[in-house]
Amino acid sequence: MTKSNRIRLSFVLYLNYFVHGMGLLILTQNMKALGNVWGTPLATVSYVISGVGIGRLLAYYLLGSLSDRYGRKSFVYVGMLSYLIFFIGIILTKDFRVAYLLAILAGVANSALDSGTYPTFLEMSRENGAANILIKAAMSIGEFVLPIFVGLNENLGGWYGSIFIIASAVLLINFLLLSRTQFPKQTSYEKQISHRLMSGSKISGSRISLIAILSVYGYTSMALMILYTQWITLYGTDILHMNNMEAHFLLSLYSIGSIVGVLLIFFILNRSLINEVKLIVGLNSLSLFVLLIICFSANHLLISICSFVFGITAAGGIMQVGLNIFISLFPQAKGRVTGIYFSFGSIASFTVPIITGRLSEISTATALRADIIVALVSFVIWAIGQRLMAASTEPSGCQKERNQINFIDYWILKLLQWRFKLIRTIGIKKMNQNGSIFDPEREKQIMTKIDRQIADAENVSYYQAIYQTILASSKEYQSQIQEKGRIR
């Protein structure tokens, strides 16, 4: 696969997820307009939105298996076509029952895109971590753009369906781009011998508890985001008495926060700066704290700031961190673990709009404040899960020291890279001046200084051996520079 084709394919796939990001919010951000068109209250509109979760739940397992057999590109097409029918169908129908079926189709579209796209990135490059992060970032950009557009459109008295038309147009253009794009060679389908979570005959109580905790978190992490995105705009207008643009911008701030969170979490985990379990516990506790401020403060500026922070903590890829932890505990059953986790998330997509639709009949504030209960459950189960994880994954009790070593190794590598940049500069100067690479006096000075700085005398020989290796590698690097006879 050529580099240009890889770039073009990545662009097309990311653009799909930009549209998908808009699709996630397009019904919630137009609840009042859709309610007027269908002649139904907000509770019924919320019920229609729950159809998205039904579509995901029905399609996730099936489409994932079929994608392995019949190719990734076909299912990316299925996802795009399903979304296209959904966008056009919603603005044409005036019957909420038809809209419910279309919402189910949107859930199928989500599952089809995931089934075709994630494996494609895995097959395109082994470095899939960055690709997965950018998928979430593309979604977050769509989630950021849509509320601003809807807010401006409503202020100008525009037709609510214009954003559906724009999303459809982007999909049609992307459909043409995709038809001319080659997909990477698919990994051959292999039947797994065992998908069991437990390879042994005995199942410990702590393992069962962890399965339960991580499965429930698949639900609560998704529910936390869905509930907030569905009701925060209406909460802003109805309870906080914000103007229309300010209320929609709360969701855009949340989306910006999610993009920042994605990059921040990726940096932290990629550098092994914080243990995954500690990170997830910390972010869940912070989510609960800022959500309490949002739900009970009347200060518009403070709530806006907290909406941004909530995006970082609740929607910055923390759900994916939970999945990574789940998979790390049961590496022999990656497919089953992923299926369990996202199935619980699909249940959240289905149940949250129904439950909060009922709560909204009391008040919009009641609907949004239900998110506090979800955040509290997430925090409690991870407070318990942290202890279980410590007992289950690190029986030797060395995790604290290993985390410290990871942190030290990170800075050692940074300093070594800095050292080799300087070595490169010196090598170039020696080459230009016809100087000798080997400088015995300089090496003697370095080793003498090291001997003086070492406090634990019993390990002097080990430190000397390490530095002798560094010096030897430095000389070899300078030799390569002189042999090539050019500046890199």
Side-chain angles (χ1 to χ4, degrees):
M1 188 178 209
T2 64
K3 183 178 179 180
S4 61
N5 190 81
R6 187 181 292 110
I7 293 171
R8 186 166 61 252
L9 176 57
S10 298
F11 173 78
V12 169
L13 296 178
Y14 290 138
L15 190 56
N16 276 340
Y17 275 85
F18 168 77
V19 176
H20 172 53
M22 293 195 294
L24 290 173
L25 303 181
I26 203 163
L27 293 179
T28 62
Q29 289 293 288
N30 290 282
M31 288 180 70
K32 287 185 176 179
L34 293 171
N36 292 333
V37 171
W38 301 336
T40 60
L42 289 179
T44 303
V45 180
S46 185
Y47 169 73
V48 169
I49 294 170
S50 72
V52 176
I54 290 288
R56 288 173 180 165
L57 192 59
L58 292 175
Y60 195 88
Y61 274 114
L62 177 63
L63 295 183
S65 299
L66 293 177
S67 172
D68 286 331
R69 289 175 170 82
Y70 300 111
R72 316 303 183 194
K73 191 172 186 176
S74 301
F75 286 88
V76 174
Y77 275 132
V78 169
M80 296 171 71
L81 183 60
S82 298
Y83 254 136
L84 188 62
I85 295 171
F86 163 73
F87 289 133
I88 295 174
I90 287 292
I91 58 176
L92 293 179
T93 186
K94 294 184 179 181
D95 189 334
F96 75 91
R97 288 173 286 267
V98 175
Y100 186 75
L101 294 175
L102 290 169
I104 293 175
L105 187 62
V108 173
N110 183 180
S111 301
L113 286 179
D114 285 351
S115 299
T117 304
Y118 280 95
T120 296
F121 277 118
L122 287 170
E123 289 156 357
M124 199 188 311
S125 173
R126 290 184 178 180
E127 298 176 2
N128 61 303
N132 290 341
I133 287 293
L134 289 176
I135 285 176
K136 183 67 175 67
M139 290 168 57
S140 296
I141 293 170
E143 292 171 347
F144 166 71
V145 169
L146 184 119
I148 294 177
F149 179 89
V150 172
L152 289 171
N153 189 54
E154 288 179 356
N155 286 346
L156 296 172
W159 177 47
Y160 79 93
S162 57
I163 187 62
F164 290 85
I165 297 295
I166 291 171
S168 300
V170 174
L171 278 178
L172 285 171
I173 294 170
N174 215 29
F175 201 96
L176 295 174
L177 293 174
L178 184 65
S179 65
R180 301 179 180 182
T181 306
Q182 180 185 358
F183 273 57
K185 186 178 180 182
Q186 185 175 332
T187 305
S188 59
Y189 177 74
E190 296 179 0
K191 293 183 178 180
Q192 297 291 329
I193 297 173
S194 173
H195 296 286
R196 294 182 178 181
L197 297 184
M198 305 298 177
S199 54
S201 57
K202 264 192 172 184
I203 302 176
S204 67
S206 62
R207 286 269 163 167
I208 294 174
S209 298
L210 283 170
I211 292 173
I213 285 171
L214 287 159
S215 298
V216 170
Y217 189 65
Y219 179 94
T220 59
S221 59
M222 178 66 77
L224 195 68
M225 295 183 286
I226 292 171
L227 199 156
Y228 188 82
T229 56
Q230 182 175 349
W231 294 104
I232 186 59
T233 300
L234 291 175
Y235 182 82
T237 54
D238 297 349
I239 307 301
L240 299 174
H241 306 295
M242 290 179 165
N243 64 46
N244 192 49
M245 196 63 213
E246 286 176 331
H248 282 289
F249 193 61
L250 285 177
L251 191 52
S252 291
L253 286 170
Y254 162 87
S255 301
I256 296 171
S258 70
I259 297 171
V260 173
V262 163
L263 300 176
L264 181 63
I265 290 172
F266 176 74
F267 176 80
I268 289 171
L269 295 181
N270 196 43
R271 300 294 189 272
S272 300
L273 299 180
I274 302 175
N275 174 266
E276 284 183 331
V277 178
K278 289 183 179 179
L279 178 65
I280 209 168
V281 171
L283 289 176
N284 275 288
S285 61
L286 189 55
S287 291
L288 177 59
F289 176 71
V290 296
L291 193 57
L292 286 167
I293 296 174
I294 291 168
C295 290
F296 294 103
S297 174
N299 186 303
H300 291 188
L301 177 59
L302 180 60
I303 291 172
S304 297
I305 294 170
C306 286
S307 188
F308 170 75
V309 176
F310 187 72
I312 295 175
T313 58
I318 197 64
M319 186 180 187
Q320 287 73 18
V321 175
L323 177 60
N324 290 341
I325 293 171
F326 205 164
I327 289 175
S328 70
L329 289 175
F330 307 100
Q332 78 282 2
K334 294 182 180 70
R336 178 163 291 186
V337 164
T338 303
I340 291 171
Y341 194 75
F342 281 118
S343 291
F344 273 84
S346 298
I347 294 170
S349 301
F350 165 59
T351 57
V352 167
I354 294 176
I355 295 169
T356 57
R358 292 288 181 89
L359 292 174
S360 70
E361 294 175 352
I362 302 171
S363 72
T364 305
T366 304
L368 183 69
R369 287 168 185 168
D371 217 13
I372 295 172
I373 298 172
V374 178
L376 182 60
V377 171
S378 291
F379 174 71
V380 170
I381 62 174
W382 273 111
I384 298 169
Q386 185 176 22
R387 292 181 176 275
L388 292 174
M389 285 287 296
S392 176
T393 61
E394 196 57 50
S396 62
C398 299
Q399 191 58 48
K400 180 180 178 181
E401 290 77 10
R402 287 175 177 171
N403 288 339
Q404 291 174 349
I405 288 173
N406 288 340
F407 180 77
I408 293 168
D409 285 344
Y410 169 75
W411 287 110
I412 287 175
L413 285 171
K414 286 290 183 184
L415 292 170
L416 281 174
Q417 291 172 46
W418 186 12
R419 191 181 199 282
F420 266 75
K421 284 181 180 179
L422 296 173
I423 289 296
R424 174 180 174 276
T425 302
I426 292 171
I428 293 169
K429 288 181 177 180
K430 286 181 178 179
M431 179 182 66
N432 293 335
Q433 297 170 5
N434 295 321
S436 174
I437 293 173
F438 179 53
D439 186 348
E441 189 60 33
R442 170 61 180 161
E443 287 197 13
K444 184 179 178 181
Q445 289 175 1
I446 291 173
M447 296 307 296
T448 301
K449 187 180 293 184
I450 290 168
D451 290 343
R452 289 174 182 171
Q453 292 175 347
I454 296 172
D456 51 335
E458 59 180 325
N459 293 319
V460 168
S461 59
Y462 298 113
Y463 299 126
Q464 288 177 338
I466 290 169
Y467 268 88
Q468 289 289 359
T469 302
I470 291 173
L471 291 173
S473 298
S474 299
K475 286 183 287 187
E476 183 179 350
Y477 181 42
Q478 289 183 353
S479 296
Q480 288 179 0
I481 291 172
Q482 290 200 1
E483 285 173 7
K484 290 180 179 179
R486 63 183 179 86
I487 300 175
R488 291 186 180 182

